[in-house]
Amino acid sequence: MTPMDSSSTKNQIMLVAETVTIGGVYIATSAGLITFNKYMLQDNHFPHAVHLTMTHMAVTSIYSLCLYAAAPQLYPSMDKAAAEWWTTMKYVGPLGVLFALALYTSNQAYRYSTVAFLQFCKQGNVALVFIMACCLGLQRFSWTKAAVLSVVIGGCSFCAHGEIHFVLVGFLLQIFSQCCECSKNLIGEIIMTGAGLKLDVLSFVLFQAPSSLLPLLAAGIYSWEPAVGTDFIKMWPMLLANASIAFFLNILIALTIKRLSALAFVIIGLLKDGVIVACSSIVFQDQVTFQQKLGFAITLFGMAMWSHLRMKEQVEAKAKQAEEVEAETQPLLAKKSEAKV
């Protein structure tokens, strides 16, 4: 085995380890929060989707500000972001609105459709992100990738057609939420890895949460009714626990996007859907038909092929970058040797 092959294998192992670690924690937290949200939105608990989402963003904003005040060293890019606040807000402002819309419509969809069906719908995020990323120049189009995505979309369609309790309102809310979520993920990737900002994870969350809270506050005031206050007093300990998990999840989402890219984030999200579907069948007794199980198996096969393509692409890119660095340093070393002679 050549040194180049050894380096490539090591990079691939490290990439797999990072993906499994971050992805595993994200899947467990996200699946727990979605199940928790479904529980909270039941009629006898806190059936107010916009106010639940508003609570999430309010608690996240407060936690972020307190953490920044206590340990500003955890926010290395905050000074630069504050100095270039106009550029930062130019990206974070739309992102905050998209995030608020995605959270609200997703939570609202749980009131009409089963958790299993909505998670099956989310499998279409892979194609949405890929198309958007190609349009923005963040990804290169290839027919191989298109063929793999067609397998994923085919499995997703199988799952949707197999739904027993189909509700159009819930489906449309979910599709709108997915469009907002994919747009938000791509903007987040640009903010954290490009656009001259390169925000760290915690700074990203600190800017994002208040930007999302503002439109939610307006919607919460507009839709306020006495029952919201009554249910809030009754359920506030559960709401605080629910919002605290949401804060941790927001940090995990930002970390996943920064370390693994938006597409890897979606792939991990699809694996998370399998865990959520299993939980929904056990906790909420959601029915999953044989056609949906078959469609989900097809989707998992497509996801495995897509993950292989993406990991191979990332490893090759790192190897190429290492070769370029080595090629640049060799002439300098040769000159130093000549000078000594």
Side-chain angles (χ1 to χ4, degrees):
M1 181 180 289
T2 64
M4 185 61 68
D5 292 335
S6 177
S7 176
S8 178
T9 302
K10 184 178 179 180
N11 288 338
Q12 193 164 7
I13 292 173
M14 291 179 64
L15 182 61
V16 170
E18 182 181 45
T19 302
V20 169
T21 302
I22 296 176
V25 176
Y26 167 71
I27 288 172
T29 305
S30 184
L33 181 62
I34 287 175
T35 304
F36 202 168
N37 286 346
K38 177 74 174 180
Y39 170 81
M40 292 296 295
L41 287 167
Q42 292 180 353
D43 290 337
N44 59 336
H45 294 147
F46 194 78
H48 314 286
V50 66
H51 298 93
L52 177 66
T53 312
M54 183 179 70
T55 303
H56 287 177
M57 288 300 99
V59 171
T60 296
S61 299
I62 294 170
Y63 282 177
S64 296
L65 288 171
C66 291
L67 184 60
Y68 178 63
Q73 68 273 15
L74 297 177
Y75 297 75
S77 60
M78 179 57 70
D79 291 339
K80 182 180 179 181
E84 301 177 5
W85 66 271
W86 174 250
T87 302
T88 303
M89 291 308 300
K90 183 173 66 175
Y91 287 96
V92 175
L95 184 147
V97 174
L98 287 170
F99 193 38
L101 286 172
L103 287 175
Y104 167 67
T105 50
S106 178
N107 284 336
Q108 190 71 6
Y110 289 128
R111 303 201 64 201
Y112 296 95
S113 302
T114 64
V115 172
F117 174 70
L118 297 180
Q119 297 310 124
F120 288 142
C121 290
K122 287 184 179 181
Q123 294 165 24
N125 281 4
V126 174
L128 283 174
V129 168
F130 180 66
I131 292 170
M132 291 178 179
C134 286
C135 292
L136 294 173
L138 299 175
Q139 292 290 328
R140 296 194 309 270
F141 176 83
S142 74
W143 288 110
T144 302
K145 292 179 180 179
V148 172
L149 286 177
S150 67
V151 175
V152 176
I153 297 302
C156 181
S157 300
F158 236 62
C159 293
H161 286 299
E163 175 64 14
I164 297 175
H165 306 292
F166 179 81
V167 180
L168 181 60
V169 175
F171 174 73
L172 293 177
L173 284 168
Q174 182 59 38
I175 294 300
F176 183 78
S177 172
Q178 289 175 224
C179 291
C180 292
E181 182 181 0
C182 291
S183 300
K184 183 265 297 182
N185 289 343
L186 287 173
I187 294 175
E189 184 175 355
I190 292 171
I191 292 174
M192 298 183 70
T193 60
L197 296 175
K198 295 187 178 180
L199 292 179
D200 61 90
V201 173
L202 292 176
S203 296
F204 178 78
V205 173
L206 180 56
F207 275 101
Q208 174 191 269
S211 299
S212 300
L213 178 60
L214 290 177
L216 287 168
L217 275 174
I221 293 172
Y222 177 78
S223 60
W224 180 267
E225 56 184 8
V228 176
T230 302
D231 292 337
F232 182 86
I233 294 172
K234 180 180 69 174
M235 299 294 296
W236 75 264
M238 299 291 285
L239 282 168
L240 181 59
N242 182 254
S244 298
I245 296 174
F247 169 70
F248 182 59
L249 180 61
N250 284 330
I251 294 177
L252 278 177
I253 289 173
L255 178 64
T256 305
I257 292 174
K258 184 175 179 66
R259 297 297 303 170
L260 306 179
S261 87
L263 278 169
F265 171 72
V266 172
I267 293 296
I268 291 173
L270 293 177
L271 293 175
K272 171 202 69 179
D273 292 343
V275 177
I276 294 172
V277 169
C279 290
S280 70
S281 298
I282 297 171
V283 178
F284 300 109
Q285 301 298 310
D286 291 340
Q287 290 182 314
V288 180
T289 65
F290 174 77
Q291 181 175 333
Q292 288 178 315
K293 292 177 181 178
L294 179 61
F296 193 63
I298 294 172
T299 302
L300 288 177
F301 176 70
M303 288 182 340
M305 292 192 297
W306 179 262
S307 298
H308 175 72
L309 285 175
R310 290 292 299 141
M311 290 173 61
K312 183 179 178 181
E313 189 178 78
Q314 290 179 9
V315 170
E316 289 176 351
K318 288 184 178 180
K320 184 178 179 181
Q321 187 178 11
E323 288 178 1
E324 292 175 352
V325 172
E326 185 178 357
E328 290 176 357
T329 56
Q330 282 181 348
L332 295 175
L333 293 174
K335 288 181 180 179
K336 289 181 178 180
S337 299
E338 291 175 1
K340 290 180 179 180
V341 173

